[in-house]
Amino acid sequence: MSEGLSSFWGPVTSPEWCEKNYVHSAYIAEFFNTLSNVPCIILALIGLINALRQRFEKRFSVLHMSNIILAIGSMLYHATLQSVQQQGDETPMVWEMLLYIYILYSPDWHYRSTMPTFLFLYGAAFAVCHALFRFGIGFKVHYAILCLLCIPRMYKYYIHTDDVKAKRLAKLYLETISLASLCWLADRRFCPEISLWRFNPEGHAIWHVLMGLNSYFANTFLMFCRAQQRGWNPKVVYLMGFLPYVKIEKPKTQ
């Protein structure tokens, strides 16, 4: 919302959210919406370290790095509220979903090179088109379709997994994305009413935190399922007693 201190980055050229601009800093437009991406980066770094330390397939390292890139793009967008930075937030969202589609569907894809090649070209074409035409509602519909494409495969992995802790990860994935979506919708739909409250619950910032957790739970569940496919004897264990991660035991020949 265009209130508060004067803008360091110039006039707002991108959509705004239900947080007053430049209230806490003259250099950060939406303070809480910017800083709420930090937990997403921390969680993705933890996942990346685990994937590298245990030598998971490179796809998972790339997936965790894509989460970090997305969070950084979101920080730049909310800090500046400029249309260029908005592209740097939205385009990685699509790239990330294409990575999820690859990881979910590639184990049963018989032509190994066709899927990554197609997804790469699709992602590149989308980036160019989105930069030129700046899709509005079209971007949201497109992103929702990509998310929906992942659900059948996630469900298949869920029903074929017997491990109780792994199933719990899938449930946490569903719970966090559902709650995050409610926060996003409430912040967008009821902003005029919320802006009159003495306390702003910062629904969009909560969305960021919950989606950071959502990505972490999804990644961890997929790492478990892939390790199971490879015969790596995966187990879900907990860092400091509360943060789940996958521990594997590869055969000596691997």
Side-chain angles (χ1 to χ4, degrees):
M1 300 187 323
S2 300
E3 298 181 21
L5 301 177
S6 59
S7 167
F8 173 81
W9 301 102
V12 172
T13 58
S14 67
E16 301 175 87
W17 300 87
C18 199
E19 179 180 355
K20 293 181 179 180
N21 298 346
Y22 299 102
V23 171
H24 300 281
S25 170
Y27 304 100
I28 301 177
E30 296 177 340
F31 186 80
F32 292 107
N33 286 349
T34 300
L35 293 188
S36 58
N37 285 283
V38 173
C40 308
I41 295 174
I42 294 172
L43 288 168
L45 280 172
I46 293 172
L48 176 61
I49 291 170
N50 184 42
L52 292 172
R53 183 175 61 86
Q54 299 195 82
R55 297 183 179 180
F56 272 87
E57 292 165 302
K58 291 181 181 179
R59 66 187 70 182
F60 292 106
S61 298
V62 174
L63 181 60
H64 290 298
M65 286 189 288
S66 77
N67 297 152
I68 295 172
I69 292 170
L70 175 57
I72 293 172
S74 179
M75 291 182 75
L76 293 173
Y77 164 41
H78 289 287
T80 64
L81 292 179
Q82 300 296 300
S83 58
V84 173
Q85 281 73 22
Q86 181 189 358
Q87 305 296 312
D89 175 32
E90 293 179 345
T91 300
M93 290 173 66
V94 170
W95 290 348
E96 183 183 68
M97 293 312 304
L98 294 177
L99 272 170
Y100 279 118
I101 289 172
Y102 170 71
I103 290 172
L104 284 164
Y105 287 95
S106 61
D108 292 337
W109 194 261
H110 299 292
Y111 305 99
R112 292 186 178 182
S113 63
T114 54
M115 177 180 283
T117 300
F118 170 77
L119 293 176
F120 175 82
L121 293 175
Y122 185 92
F126 172 82
V128 173
C129 292
H130 193 32
L132 293 174
F133 303 109
R134 297 183 181 179
F135 305 125
I137 188 64
F139 165 78
K140 296 179 179 64
V141 172
H142 176 244
Y143 182 74
I145 291 172
L146 293 179
C147 292
L148 290 172
L149 287 174
C150 294
I151 292 177
R153 195 67 174 188
M154 286 288 283
Y155 180 71
K156 179 182 177 180
Y157 280 10
Y158 176 82
I159 62 176
H160 284 88
T161 300
D162 296 325
D163 189 275
V164 175
K165 292 181 179 178
K167 281 183 173 289
R168 178 59 180 158
L169 288 172
K171 292 177 182 177
L172 286 170
Y173 161 80
L174 184 61
E175 291 167 3
T176 49
I177 197 171
S178 299
L179 185 56
S181 299
L182 288 175
C183 292
W184 188 94
L185 289 169
D187 185 83
R188 204 67 178 153
R189 173 64 180 82
F190 300 109
C191 185
E193 292 80 4
I194 292 173
S195 62
L196 299 176
W197 296 359
R198 295 184 62 182
F199 171 75
N200 186 339
E202 305 296 349
H204 196 74
I206 296 173
W207 148 269
H208 286 158
V209 176
L210 289 173
M211 288 305 293
L213 286 167
N214 175 260
S215 295
Y216 182 83
F217 293 141
N219 296 356
T220 306
F221 177 70
L222 291 175
M223 289 170 74
F224 179 92
C225 294
R226 183 57 177 165
Q228 202 170 45
Q229 292 172 350
R230 299 294 301 271
W232 291 347
N233 191 28
K235 296 178 182 178
V236 177
V237 295
Y238 294 88
L239 178 66
M240 295 183 291
F242 70 92
L243 187 65
Y245 70 97
V246 179
K247 185 176 182 180
I248 60 175
E249 295 178 9
K250 291 184 179 181
K252 292 183 179 180
T253 54
Q254 297 186 44

